[in-house]
Amino acid sequence: MKISDLINITGGRLENEPQVQAIESATVFPSKVEAGDLFFAARDEDIPAAVERGAYAVIYEGEHPRNLDEEIAWIAVDSVREAAFRLLRYVMLRKEADLVLLRPHEESFLRMILTHKGNVTFLPKEWTKAFETILNSDQRLFVGSDRQLLETITPEPERLEETAEGQMISDTLFRSTFKVHGYIYQQKEMAPFHLEHLLRVVAFCDRKELPYSLDKIRYTRHFQPLFVDGELASVPRGASDRVVIFVDNLTDIVEARDYVRHQSSWARSIVLTPPKTKVENVERPYWFETPEEAR
């Protein structure tokens, strides 16, 4: 890419009159710089190493680095991160790539049921790693659950709204029997209120022609039950009527409590959260002083 085109895309300012007129590739990691590359300086201290490894151009913010090679292109920007994502938008348009914003549960189920994960590129939440992933991948389908990150790349990433044909047949809080596309999946390790997330992911796989298998369904990282005895020691499933459910979101807590409330008149629930967490319909929480007191 020509330096003049690069400046137009990133909105940068050329701070010198370099001999270099074009770059071959780009990176944000100094250890990956090769001769002819463009280097996005996420950290100023990485610039000397990138120049030493053969960078032909450097995009930076702040003061112009001194005592470094003036034959390469020095391009100043207000934000290195924003400049990097401007280049990504250009690259994705050229690739005709799709960018899909998933809900966290959708991402978990997609990772779970895909039989060939190489058909989809999952974006990391760290922007520098996401930049490298998109820029250096031949894939044309990228997905992620970090809304701020994906909306920085493109203002309106695709969302999953369509659902596959399916329904719940029978369920407990910890086991679900459901039908999808006419096939019945019995006693799967899935909370019943997670079926809607799964059906959106199935519809997405159908539309993108991604091979998948629902035989792999199991508890997601968002909802992990553990059966315990009176001393909170782990016991085999079904050996106790006490269960500790580990979740990473408040929505699943609320839905699990509603499920218990409507399915059983005798069951009782206690919600333990990190300090100062606001839980729906709980106005006067009791704060335990120590982990031992909570146990």
Side-chain angles (χ1 to χ4, degrees):
M1 176 182 289
K2 293 181 178 180
I3 297 297
S4 57
D5 294 334
L6 178 63
I7 292 171
N8 290 333
I9 292 170
T10 60
R13 304 177 300 277
L14 187 61
E15 295 293 300
N16 63 334
E17 296 181 2
Q19 293 185 3
V20 173
Q21 298 299 314
I23 53 96
E24 298 295 330
S25 185
T27 182
V28 292
F29 298 121
S31 60
K32 292 186 177 182
V33 171
E34 297 180 356
D37 282 355
L38 161 68
F39 178 63
F40 283 88
R43 303 189 311 168
D44 290 345
E45 56 266 34
D46 291 336
I47 294 177
V51 172
E52 183 176 351
R53 290 181 64 90
Y56 274 20
V58 176
I59 289 183
Y60 67 96
E61 57 185 85
E63 295 185 1
H64 178 46
R66 303 298 176 186
N67 303 320
L68 293 175
D69 193 346
E70 285 295 324
E71 294 184 358
I72 68 175
W74 294 95
I75 302 171
V77 295
D78 295 330
S79 167
V80 170
R81 183 176 185 272
E82 175 59 29
F85 281 123
R86 287 187 178 187
L87 180 61
L88 274 191
R89 287 193 285 271
Y90 170 81
V91 169
M92 293 194 70
L93 284 174
R94 292 288 300 271
K95 287 183 177 181
E96 297 182 347
D98 293 329
L99 186 66
V100 183
L101 174 58
L102 303 174
R103 300 167 181 86
H105 289 61
E106 293 169 351
E107 181 178 35
S108 295
F109 277 120
L110 183 59
R111 288 181 182 273
M112 188 183 299
I113 71 173
L114 281 176
T115 55
H116 299 291
K117 292 182 174 59
N119 295 328
V120 179
T121 299
F122 290 87
L123 294 178
K125 297 182 183 297
E126 171 58 44
W127 78 264
T128 54
K129 294 180 180 179
F131 174 85
E132 291 284 327
T133 299
I134 295 176
L135 198 67
N136 298 315
S137 173
D138 294 328
Q139 284 285 353
R140 295 174 58 184
L141 178 57
F142 300 91
V143 302
S145 58
D146 189 319
R147 180 171 182 174
Q148 182 180 9
L149 174 68
L150 268 68
E151 289 185 347
T152 303
I153 300 173
T154 177
E156 296 184 359
E158 181 182 344
R159 297 294 300 270
L160 304 192
E161 303 300 342
E162 178 186 0
T163 60
E165 176 188 354
Q167 65 185 76
M168 187 65 64
I169 296 177
S170 64
D171 60 85
T172 66
L173 183 57
F174 310 114
R175 292 278 183 171
S176 298
T177 296
F178 54 90
K179 179 187 290 187
V180 177
H181 291 329
Y183 294 94
I184 295 177
Y185 299 88
Q186 294 185 335
Q187 295 292 298
K188 292 298 183 181
E189 294 183 337
M190 184 183 75
F193 42 81
H194 283 178
L195 180 62
E196 59 178 316
H197 303 294
L198 177 62
L199 293 180
R200 285 195 296 267
V201 171
V202 170
F204 173 70
C205 290
D206 290 339
R207 179 161 51 86
K208 297 293 187 181
E209 298 182 346
L210 301 172
Y212 63 90
S213 171
L214 299 189
D215 293 328
K216 296 183 176 183
I217 293 298
R218 60 185 183 278
Y219 297 123
T220 67
R221 62 182 176 85
H222 314 289
F223 186 94
Q224 289 279 349
L226 177 67
F227 287 84
V228 297
D229 61 18
E231 302 299 321
L232 298 185
S234 175
V235 298
R237 189 180 309 279
S240 171
D241 59 0
R242 297 180 176 91
V243 62
V244 179
I245 305 173
F246 296 92
V247 301
D248 64 359
N249 64 101
L250 291 177
T251 300
D252 280 351
I253 293 177
V254 174
E255 292 187 326
R257 295 185 78 197
D258 286 344
Y259 184 95
V260 170
R261 187 179 298 114
H262 288 95
Q263 297 293 326
S264 174
S265 60
W266 58 266
R268 297 293 181 265
S269 62
I270 300 174
V271 177
L272 301 179
T273 71
K276 309 304 180 184
T277 302
K278 292 183 178 180
V279 181
E280 183 178 328
N281 298 324
V282 178
E283 297 179 354
R284 297 179 180 178
Y286 179 84
W287 302 108
F288 294 103
E289 297 295 331
T290 66
E292 289 72 22
E293 185 181 355
R295 293 191 189 96

